[in-house]
Amino acid sequence: MSNIAINQNNIPELRFPEFKEEWNIERLSNLIDIKSGKAYKNNEYIKKGIPLLQGENIQHMKLTRPEKYLPKEYLNDSRNIALNYGDIVLGLNRPIINGQLKIAKVGNDFSPALLYQRAGKIIFDKNLSNFYLPLLDKYITEFVYRESVGSDQPFISTTKLKSWKIKIPHYNEQQKIGNFFSKLDRQIELEEKTLDLLEEQKKGYMQKIFTQELWFKDENGNGYPEWVEKKIKDALGERKERSDLGDLLSVTIDDGVVKFSEVDRKDNSSKNKSNYKKVYVNDIAYNSMRMWQGASGKSSYEGIVSPAYTVLHSKADIDMDFIAYYFKTHKMIHTFRVNSQGLTPDTWNLKYKQLKEIKMSIPNFEEQKKIGDFFQKLDRRIELQSQKIESLKAQKQGFLQKMFV
Amino acid sequence: MTTTEKQRQQQADLQKKLWDIANDLRGNMDASEFRNYILGLIFYRFLSENTEQQVEQLLAEDNITYEEAWQNDEYQDVLKQELIARIGYVIEPQDLFSHLVKKIENQTFEIEDLHRAINHIEASTRGEDSEDEFERLFEDMDLNSSRLGNTNAERTKLISKVMMNLAALPFVQGDMEIDMLGDAYEYLIGQFAATAGKKAGEFYTPQQVSKILAKIVTTGKKDLKNVYDPTCGSGSLLLRVGREANVRHYYGQEYNNTTFNLARMNMLLHDVNYHNFSLANGDTLEHPAVVDGQFEAVVANPPYSAKWSADPSFLDDERFSNYGKLAPKSKADFAFVQHMIYHLDDNGKMAVVLPHGVLFRGAAEETIRKYLIEEKNYLDAVIGLPSNLFFGTGIPTCILVFKKCREQDEDVLFIDASQSFEKGRNQNHLADEDVNKIVETFRNRETLDKFSYVSTLDEIRKNDYNLNIPRYVDTFEEEEPVDLDKVQQDIQDIDQKIVGLEEEINGYLKELGVL
């Protein structure tokens, strides 16, 4: 194999200034070894024991919890595939998903573990763990792209991989690069944890604000008037206007109302859209078949939706943001399920006819606006956090490209 | 082994052997076609042995065989009379199953012998009280069918094989009870139903569902004057009621002719004397066989949302006339309910399996529902069953219980048993505990958390007579509460760490000249 031209300049584009030497070309087999996991039979699994890590548990820089367990004794029989803290594992089947290599470091929660077939344990100098992770990520990704061209079911041949040649700096530079990348990884990890916490926090406020365990005060520091019980029909009317003009909109459980052109879905909409329903900015649209799962949202767009949806407009003194969040509370979703009709969950349906009779407690307009606005801000914060994480990942990718030869 | 264990063992053996025979021999035939032969032959052997037992008693002191007695005109007359009075039919010695088996062994058997034998059975009942119970009982066993073979010789060979296999099984001997044979017979019906796929639901109600209905309608009763099933299928639901209480007379009607024949055989095989059952073949709604009877127990598992004529003339039919509206053409569910209620005795109980739609569908069905609840106050309980319990249909069903004189007439009991089941390969099953829990809850009429609810009529009114079970039985699971203080603290801690980390990273970035 000669994947590297010998006379190429072996110096990375971006480098810590104290290092000057050229990087050396090495065959991977001189640096690492790879052991494939073992196949086990169904009757060998037990309920509780040593987790068995399978290829599908390995994601990019992340492991998911295995579902199968093996008896403790197996650790003794299979030492070379037993996994411990700091080991690097590699998914050998379909190794790249969404452009990312299935490679990850084994953390404390999966130590010890055993490895199933079509997954590999990488044996290397553990003092350089922080360096090898980005290094292998970069080079094995390249390897896969070059070696599995034209194959439907790409997989990594460990023999071929080991004969692959890569470039590598001297020990000190390895250490420094490793430390740097470990900080980047840690940063991403912390920001992801923050994202989870922000979502958890929003959920907590959803629980407490709609049950009025927590409440806002007006500018004088006084509480708002008591919430009033109303039927939905007193707050929301059904919009029945039909139109075939405008952007096609779609309602999703996670993202509310989105433009159809921006989601990754097959267009099954009928050619003749004359029966489609009109949606105005600030309307709430919901999927009557999925309302019991929370498929509703406030629209920021004017457009049309499939006739299968129901469109709601506000009546006087109703803040649609407030309603949109209210409709996503655990209790409301349960109420929607109870009031849905149909023989099986596949056919449960909540039309306006049933929805309009449901009761909900509603604060005065000012408090509604405050609550709606508060949750909007929380959502915006969550969105910014996601964007930050994406940027950090892109940044890391850039360093991977420039700091390795 | 205790007696019951032994019996259970014997029964399991018998069932397995019967099913094996059926499977071995059916060849290219459709399960539903072969069913008629194997079930018919089992029944024929049963009738033969029943005859032999009776004759043995009758001739106990005469020291003479059945064949010898038959040769004597006087004996023959007395035997005929006695047999007709006792069991309703006569099988002459040369037509007995055991006689034909001998002929098979001697290789003198012809399929025509069997044909003649079963024709004689039916003929023997002509003009007698038992005529209705035996009329055309064997007509589904077409011995001339090319399915059995293209020539007489081939047909003779196949039938001989089946008969010899059946002859090798112990039927009603020693400590084996007649019910076991009946149960084995029903087991076969069930097995055939399970393999027959879609159409099967029609003639078979799973035993555990039948058990719930039977236990409900016999609550507080040891003896029932009568029980009626207007869509009785193979009769297993009726017989199940007979197991929970002494039933003095069974009434039933079945639309499908073959299934109707199975039902009559099933009755006789369960030792129900021909005097004690009246089953009819035909369309219950359009041509009811029962016109003015009132029954102490009424049960049914009618076809779900079947079509019926909904002819306006039915508005003059006393069964339907008071409700103001007829059940829709495409959904006869409530028509069956109305028919059943019409035949329910004032002190009787009625339980019927229906699809969930009857609980909440609008239009005419809403009117009928409202009438039953508001005007009549007959509805006593609504029980939601798990989905996928029945052969050939996955839809979830419910049991409605009606009484004309309700003890607790201010409320209605709702039970949500939709989650009470064991998962099977193709079907869900109700375990004995599930059945018991449902029946106990019904009998105690109690509200259990996430399982049952005693609702006032007023609540039903407020729900506009919509009986959808989740509206009454609250299955709400609280969401895990979030500890907001802790989350807030965690966010702050992480923010701090991020600040420190970013400083370190910035240090590196400066070295790299990126910052």
Side-chain angles (χ1 to χ4, degrees):
Chain A
M1 303 219 112
S2 62
N3 52 305
I4 290 170
I6 303 297
N7 56 0
Q8 200 180 312
N9 187 6
N10 291 333
I11 287 177
E13 189 182 334
L14 191 62
R15 195 174 194 188
F16 291 111
E18 64 265 40
F19 302 110
K20 305 288 183 212
E21 304 95 326
E22 282 203 2
W23 288 25
N24 299 317
I25 296 168
E26 287 277 5
R27 210 174 269 275
L28 259 183
S29 56
N30 293 336
L31 305 169
I32 61 163
D33 193 10
I34 304 178
K35 296 276 180 222
S36 278
K38 265 196 197 167
Y40 296 94
K41 295 199 190 86
N42 255 333
N43 57 14
E44 293 181 83
Y45 301 129
I46 54 174
K47 282 235 163 83
K48 240 184 140 185
I50 303 297
L52 176 66
L53 207 67
Q54 294 184 264
E56 65 245 38
N57 299 124
I58 306 171
Q59 298 179 354
H60 182 66
M61 301 293 159
K62 224 184 333 194
L63 296 176
T64 61
R65 183 145 293 281
E67 279 162 17
K68 287 176 176 155
Y69 296 89
L70 290 164
K72 229 180 170 146
E73 303 81 76
Y74 282 46
L75 280 178
N76 302 327
D77 310 338
S78 324
R79 278 186 195 284
N80 55 349
I81 56 154
L83 300 174
N84 287 302
Y85 179 80
D87 282 338
I88 292 176
V89 285
L90 181 66
L92 300 175
N93 260 11
R94 294 182 174 279
I96 292 190
I97 292 233
N98 299 330
Q100 295 185 308
L101 184 68
K102 288 182 184 170
I103 190 167
K105 202 162 97 172
V106 176
N108 276 324
D109 32 352
F110 302 118
S111 166
L114 284 158
L115 197 61
Y116 195 65
Q117 64 175 2
R118 307 309 309 149
K121 172 188 171 182
I122 296 172
I123 297 164
F124 62 101
D125 177 0
K126 273 208 190 167
N127 292 323
L128 289 168
S129 161
N130 290 331
F131 173 69
Y132 272 97
L133 196 58
L135 176 90
L136 294 172
D137 179 20
K138 179 182 164 86
Y139 287 122
I140 297 176
T141 305
E142 269 179 27
F143 167 81
V144 173
Y145 277 130
R146 293 206 198 168
E147 285 301 304
S148 65
V149 173
S151 164
D152 288 349
Q153 292 264 359
F155 70 94
I156 295 175
S157 145
T158 52
T159 343
K160 258 191 185 173
L161 176 61
K162 281 194 282 187
S163 64
W164 191 250
K165 285 181 198 152
I166 65 162
K167 287 180 219 162
I168 189 162
H170 291 288
Y171 186 79
N172 287 346
E173 190 171 1
Q174 289 180 18
Q175 255 189 333
K176 183 133 187 186
I177 294 175
N179 286 342
F180 174 59
F181 274 97
S182 83
K183 302 281 181 213
L184 295 182
D185 281 337
R186 176 76 180 141
Q187 187 186 25
I188 290 170
E189 191 190 323
L190 287 174
E191 296 289 2
E192 281 179 333
K193 209 175 250 174
T194 303
L195 178 65
D196 290 346
L197 284 167
L198 289 172
E199 274 165 355
E200 186 73 3
Q201 188 183 44
K202 178 188 163 191
K203 189 171 139 190
Y205 284 122
M206 292 278 280
Q207 288 172 352
K208 297 231 157 55
I209 287 178
F210 287 99
T211 51
Q212 299 174 69
E213 282 169 71
L214 288 177
W215 57 89
F216 291 109
K217 298 190 177 75
D218 64 17
E219 58 254 24
N220 304 320
N222 299 319
Y224 286 101
E226 286 225 0
W227 293 23
V228 181
E229 190 165 89
K230 276 187 187 168
K231 284 194 172 175
I232 286 182
K233 65 180 168 196
D234 297 323
L236 305 168
E238 184 181 15
R239 191 182 298 285
K240 292 179 172 166
E241 198 181 326
R242 308 274 170 166
S243 170
D244 56 355
L245 299 172
D247 282 333
L248 183 60
L249 304 176
S250 181
V251 182
T252 64
I253 291 177
D254 293 328
D255 303 320
V257 178
V258 293
K259 280 194 185 167
F260 195 87
S261 52
E262 287 164 16
V263 289
D264 202 15
R265 266 198 231 173
K266 205 176 153 222
D267 189 349
N268 292 322
S269 64
S270 34
K271 269 231 161 88
N272 175 6
K273 295 195 168 56
S274 59
N275 204 25
Y276 274 47
K277 288 181 179 165
K278 183 90 191 163
V279 177
Y280 289 93
V281 173
N282 246 345
D283 282 352
I284 286 177
Y286 73 85
N287 178 345
S288 58
M289 307 269 278
R290 294 258 167 268
M291 191 55 160
W292 59 278
Q293 294 174 319
S296 66
K298 197 195 79 161
S299 181
S300 317
Y301 318 103
E302 188 176 326
I304 54 172
V305 289
S306 138
Y309 291 119
T310 303
V311 182
L312 305 170
H313 62 80
S314 69
K315 293 193 169 172
D317 286 345
I318 292 296
D319 181 74
M320 289 304 256
D321 282 319
F322 169 79
I323 299 286
Y325 287 110
Y326 207 156
F327 277 9
K328 297 277 185 173
T329 59
H330 184 70
K331 182 95 196 187
M332 249 347 233
I333 286 174
H334 175 77
T335 307
F336 294 148
R337 188 176 80 76
V338 167
N339 286 279
S340 290
Q341 305 199 335
L343 292 182
T344 63
D346 310 340
T347 59
W348 279 345
N349 207 326
L350 186 73
K351 293 281 182 212
Y352 183 69
K353 181 172 180 272
Q354 284 91 34
L355 177 93
K356 72 180 173 33
E357 302 298 333
I358 294 172
K359 288 180 197 141
M360 54 198 288
S361 278
I362 296 180
N364 76 358
F365 189 51
E366 209 177 313
E367 192 180 355
Q368 285 177 37
K369 276 199 299 192
K370 210 165 223 176
I371 292 172
D373 192 47
F374 172 65
F375 282 110
Q376 284 252 298
K377 295 226 157 73
L378 290 187
D379 271 346
R380 183 73 189 134
R381 171 73 182 90
I382 289 169
E383 200 186 311
L384 289 173
Q385 184 67 20
S386 302
Q387 288 172 6
K388 182 174 183 188
I389 291 166
E390 289 315 308
S391 303
L392 288 171
K393 284 182 177 169
Q395 186 190 39
K396 181 187 159 190
Q397 197 58 36
F399 285 129
L400 268 181
Q401 288 164 4
K402 292 194 170 150
M403 294 182 70
F404 290 89
V405 181
Chain B
M1 268 201 267
T2 63
T3 327
T4 43
E5 269 172 27
K6 195 170 166 191
Q7 282 176 346
R8 205 172 298 150
Q9 186 61 44
Q10 283 176 333
Q11 179 158 17
D13 282 353
L14 181 60
Q15 288 175 352
K16 192 180 171 307
K17 281 181 188 147
L18 283 171
W19 185 237
D20 285 348
I21 294 175
N23 263 331
D24 281 354
L25 298 177
R26 76 177 210 219
N28 305 329
M29 235 180 284
D30 202 46
S32 58
E33 282 180 275
F34 196 71
R35 178 191 69 200
N36 299 331
Y37 294 101
I38 193 132
L39 293 178
L41 285 171
I42 292 172
F43 184 62
Y44 164 51
R45 180 177 159 192
F46 161 75
L47 292 181
S48 291
E49 286 177 10
N50 202 7
T51 307
E52 287 175 298
Q53 273 183 359
Q54 297 296 335
V55 171
E56 201 179 298
Q57 286 172 21
L58 290 168
L59 298 177
E61 291 170 6
D62 297 74
N63 200 15
I64 180 173
T65 67
Y66 186 23
E67 279 180 31
E68 288 160 358
W70 198 258
Q71 303 303 324
N72 178 315
D73 286 349
E74 263 172 54
Y75 264 117
Q76 201 190 87
D77 277 349
V78 176
L79 281 171
K80 265 188 191 166
Q81 272 178 30
E82 271 303 310
L83 285 172
I84 291 287
R86 289 180 177 209
I87 54 178
Y89 62 92
V90 178
I91 302 181
E92 299 177 19
Q94 73 280 6
D95 290 336
L96 288 168
F97 185 87
S98 56
H99 185 81
L100 296 192
V101 166
K102 266 185 209 127
K103 287 187 84 168
I104 294 172
E105 283 168 346
N106 297 333
Q107 300 187 335
T108 56
F109 172 76
E110 289 289 330
I111 195 159
E112 197 42 43
D113 295 328
L114 176 62
H115 208 166
R116 199 178 47 240
I118 56 178
N119 282 344
H120 284 171
I121 298 174
E122 205 188 305
S124 75
T125 67
R126 232 158 262 153
E128 308 291 347
D129 284 351
S130 54
E131 184 173 352
D132 285 351
E133 280 66 44
F134 284 86
E135 194 187 359
R136 298 199 291 188
L137 191 48
F138 285 100
E139 75 175 344
D140 295 303
M141 202 165 79
D142 178 5
L143 295 174
N144 293 322
S145 166
S146 58
R147 292 283 190 169
L148 292 175
N150 288 326
T151 63
N152 248 334
E154 280 178 33
R155 291 195 278 270
T156 300
K157 201 173 152 203
L158 180 63
I159 287 293
S160 301
K161 215 166 139 193
V162 180
M163 286 180 65
M164 288 310 287
N165 272 297
L166 287 177
L169 297 180
F171 261 21
V172 189
Q173 285 168 4
D175 48 16
M176 185 174 271
E177 288 181 28
I178 164 100
D179 263 358
M180 268 191 224
L181 181 60
D183 290 349
Y185 191 76
E186 275 203 64
Y187 165 82
L188 276 188
I189 295 177
Q191 285 295 101
F192 278 120
T195 51
K198 267 217 142 147
K199 301 282 294 176
E202 281 179 16
F203 61 91
Y204 194 73
T205 308
Q207 283 292 341
Q208 297 289 63
V209 176
S210 297
K211 211 191 232 178
I212 296 173
L213 295 176
K215 282 182 187 286
I216 284 173
V217 296
T218 56
T219 294
K221 288 182 180 171
K222 286 202 177 89
D223 181 79
L224 288 176
K225 196 168 72 195
N226 46 38
V227 53
Y228 172 48
D229 181 345
T231 56
C232 70
S234 55
S236 61
L237 180 51
L238 284 171
L239 287 164
R240 182 50 78 169
V241 176
R243 242 178 247 207
E244 300 296 332
N246 175 45
V247 171
R248 282 180 268 160
H249 203 104
Y250 295 93
Y251 291 87
Q253 184 164 358
E254 169 54 36
Y255 182 77
N256 180 297
N257 186 53
T258 303
T259 313
F260 161 67
N261 290 336
L262 289 182
R264 289 188 292 173
M265 294 187 198
N266 204 5
M267 285 283 153
L268 291 165
L269 275 166
H270 278 92
D271 209 17
V272 179
N273 194 283
Y274 72 93
H275 289 298
N276 298 333
F277 68 89
S278 313
L279 302 183
N281 181 207
D283 184 327
T284 306
L285 298 177
E286 309 278 344
H287 309 289
V290 168
V291 180
D292 26 53
Q294 302 261 293
F295 304 97
E296 207 174 344
V298 182
V299 287
N301 176 20
Y304 306 141
S305 301
K307 291 189 171 58
W308 75 307
S309 72
D311 192 290
S313 67
F314 277 123
L315 283 168
D316 300 324
D317 186 320
E318 277 191 53
R319 294 176 293 170
F320 312 109
S321 55
N322 293 329
Y323 297 77
K325 280 191 177 158
L326 290 174
K329 229 177 185 157
S330 58
K331 295 177 186 76
D333 303 312
F334 269 109
F336 284 110
V337 170
Q338 290 167 318
H339 172 89
M340 291 170 79
I341 283 185
Y342 182 74
H343 291 293
L344 180 64
D345 216 348
D346 281 348
N347 71 348
K349 287 194 197 75
M350 155 180 160
V352 52
V353 185
L354 296 162
H356 270 204
V358 300
L359 300 175
F360 54 76
R361 285 193 296 243
E365 293 180 283
E366 190 175 326
T367 310
I368 296 170
R369 225 169 30 234
K370 185 173 169 188
Y371 182 84
L372 283 169
I373 297 164
E374 195 57 56
E375 298 293 322
K376 290 294 179 188
N377 194 9
Y378 287 165
L379 181 67
D380 193 53
V382 176
I383 302 167
L385 297 175
S387 52
N388 213 12
L389 279 185
F390 294 83
F391 295 120
T393 169
I395 67 165
T397 52
C398 59
I399 298 172
L400 297 189
V401 182
F402 293 94
K403 285 185 208 170
K404 286 190 171 166
C405 302
R406 301 206 296 135
E407 298 86 15
Q408 274 140 310
D409 61 0
E410 287 302 306
D411 53 44
V412 173
L413 172 70
F414 288 84
I415 296 178
D416 180 0
S418 60
Q419 302 308 314
S420 312
F421 62 86
E422 286 177 340
K423 253 196 129 33
R425 204 187 311 167
N426 299 320
Q427 233 90 45
N428 291 330
H429 306 282
L430 290 163
D432 284 342
E433 307 89 79
D434 299 323
V435 170
N436 289 341
K437 188 173 179 196
I438 293 169
V439 173
E440 283 309 305
T441 309
F442 170 78
R443 288 182 176 166
N444 299 334
R445 217 176 171 75
E446 54 190 344
T447 293
L448 296 177
D449 189 34
K450 296 188 174 42
F451 187 72
S452 64
Y453 182 71
V454 181
S455 165
T456 62
L457 289 175
D458 210 41
E459 280 174 87
I460 296 177
R461 242 169 249 134
K462 279 191 187 135
N463 274 300
D464 292 325
Y465 307 94
N466 181 322
L467 302 175
N468 208 15
I469 298 168
R471 292 193 178 209
Y472 302 92
V473 182
D474 192 359
T475 53
F476 183 65
E477 301 266 3
E478 280 290 347
E479 196 178 22
E480 189 71 38
V482 174
D483 183 344
L484 280 170
D485 293 337
K486 186 172 175 303
V487 172
Q488 192 63 43
Q489 189 58 51
D490 290 351
I491 291 176
Q492 280 173 12
D493 292 349
I494 289 185
D495 279 349
Q496 294 242 303
K497 282 187 200 161
I498 291 174
V499 170
L501 191 64
E502 278 176 348
E503 269 173 37
E504 288 184 58
I505 291 173
N506 288 345
Y508 282 106
L509 296 185
K510 275 179 195 146
E511 285 185 50
L512 287 169
V514 176
L515 199 69

